[in-house]
Amino acid sequence: MSEPVTRALPTDPTDLTGTGLTAGWVDELVERTLTEDLTGGAPLPREPDVAVSYDVTSAATVPGAQYGTADLVARADGVVAGLPVAARVFTRLAPGAALTAGATDGDRVRRGDVLLTVRGPVRALLAAERSALNIASRASGIATHTRAWADAVAGTGAVVLDTRKTTPGLRPLEKYAVRCGRGSNKRMGLYDVAMVKDNHVAAAGSVAAAVALVRERAPRITVQVECDTIEQVGEAVDAGADFLLLDNMTPDQLRAVVALVGDLDVELEATGGLTLDLAREVADTGVDFLSVGALTHSSPVLDLALDLREE
């Protein structure tokens, strides 16, 4: 189980310490994002001046020797995430740029707050602008949405989880953003937790058979079973499941499951049909987790902007 992100204001805004994101993955994301915007997917030249020249507007209107300072600013209240990744977008095109952090991932910010200040060649700052904003706005939108859910269940003991319903290619960033919003990641993919669903049961013949087959193949992995009814809960518990996914159950049904499981070492996750208005009621049933696919598949971006200062 991943822990929510807590980071002190970094002296190096590009520092990935504590994010769980690897430098190699972040550098690949930065490269892919910039080539999409600057070259249409063709490899981006390593020489900063050549790379920046693909921004035809800035190359035509901004003198090459012009330096300036730009602020990455919040245009709405929210929770920020992805700032170290956005910072690396700027340093990819302006390796000598001076960066100063105004906020750190996981911080609540208000409209008008300066999150990051960058000083460097103006052409490079403008060429990097949209790519940096797309990354930070997307991650911050997820963090903001997640924090609303985390606040809604605060004090109940329940934890808000994401799912595998992520943007292809962006899962590490999006799941990191959930942690920035004080949510958690139960499983990162198909490889780290086994989830037995109705199709697996149909293929194996029964819940017990499916669980036994998973145990045989991967004896150390956590086994979760999806349950639609209280009867299925009993079958899954008898089969030795570690974790139950309680799909589209009412609060009364969830309370019945909590009572049935009692003190057994089985974790309970409510999912399906959850809304923010009902989050507290569901959490109060005694389940351990609420999983919300919308955190990563439907969160609106947090409005951020890059403002070039007049000098």
Side-chain angles (χ1 to χ4, degrees), residues 137-150 160-167 174-175 177-178 183-185 269-277 279 290-302:
S137 293
R138 173 65 178 153
S140 297
I142 292 171
T144 300
H145 190 187
T146 303
R147 184 59 183 270
W149 279 85
V160 177
L161 297 178
D162 55 20
T163 70
R164 288 169 45 242
K165 297 175 182 178
T166 54
T167 306
E174 293 181 346
K175 283 184 170 281
V178 167
S184 191
N185 317 131
E269 174 184 340
T271 191
L274 302 182
T275 65
L276 197 53
D277 290 342
L290 282 71
S291 65
V292 185
L295 298 181
T296 51
H297 71 59
S298 295
S299 292
V301 300
L302 184 67

Side-chain angles (χ1 to χ4, degrees), residues 21-151:
L21 302 172
T22 66
W25 185 87
V26 169
D27 290 345
E28 188 275 333
L29 173 62
V30 168
E31 203 71 12
R32 177 159 41 91
T33 304
L34 284 170
T35 59
E36 178 181 66
D37 203 29
L38 288 173
T39 66
L44 192 66
R46 295 307 305 180
E47 301 82 1
D49 289 344
V50 178
V52 168
S53 70
Y54 282 91
D55 175 3
V56 295
T57 312
S58 297
T61 60
V62 179
Q66 183 174 340
Y67 270 64
T69 302
D71 295 320
L72 197 160
V73 179
R75 288 284 184 261
D77 299 350
V79 176
V80 293
L83 294 178
V85 185
R88 287 182 176 228
V89 174
F90 289 111
T91 58
R92 168 62 177 89
L93 297 184
L99 291 85
T100 304
T104 191
D105 285 355
D107 283 353
R108 285 188 185 273
V109 298
R110 304 297 299 271
R111 175 181 170 86
D113 285 353
V114 174
L115 312 181
L116 178 71
T117 297
V118 189
R119 180 165 180 79
V122 172
R123 281 185 180 179
L125 302 186
L126 297 183
E129 174 183 2
R130 178 45 52 195
S131 294
L133 291 176
N134 283 351
I135 289 170
S137 293
R138 173 65 178 153
S140 297
I142 292 171
T144 300
H145 190 187
T146 303
R147 184 59 183 270
W149 279 85
D151 288 347

